[in-house]
Amino acid sequence: GPKDIGFFGTRNMGFLHQQLVEILSYALVLTENHIFTSGATGTNAAVIRGALRAERPDLLTVVLPQSLSKQPEESRELLEKVKNVVEMEGNDKLPLLEASRICNDDIV
């Protein structure tokens, strides 16, 4: 049956790999799986685009390592389309690397 699936990856990935991740995310949502990811560029953005394309906003949750205002403008534009965004505002004073580690632990 459907599962909760966490997606992790790199901010630096080529266009072809982004397309593959987007298709995988799309297919997983179409088959009723709930996707959890962060809001960074690269892998996470591809996951978000694919899940949104499946038109099941209830099956996508984006967990941000810090508040939405701390995210790059490029990420914020995409995140505006996401229904379920969890902001970890308590991490705003932490370095991004540490905040991301805490966020990834939360997703797992």
Side-chain angles (χ1 to χ4, degrees), residues 36-55:
F36 293 84
T37 193
S38 188
T41 57
T43 302
N44 296 322
V47 168
I48 293 167
R49 286 192 304 270
L52 290 173
R53 202 169 85 204
E55 297 182 355

Side-chain angles (χ1 to χ4, degrees), residues 34-81:
H34 191 130
I35 303 296
F36 293 84
T37 193
S38 188
T41 57
T43 302
N44 296 322
V47 168
I48 293 167
R49 286 192 304 270
L52 290 173
R53 202 169 85 204
E55 297 182 355
R56 287 292 308 274
D58 56 308
L59 293 177
L60 171 64
T61 300
V62 176
V63 182
L64 299 177
Q66 297 171 319
S67 64
L68 185 59
S69 63
K70 299 273 284 182
Q71 306 307 306
E73 186 175 335
E74 173 187 350
S75 296
R76 286 195 308 251
E77 287 177 18
L78 182 59
L79 291 167
E80 287 175 4
K81 302 172 185 172

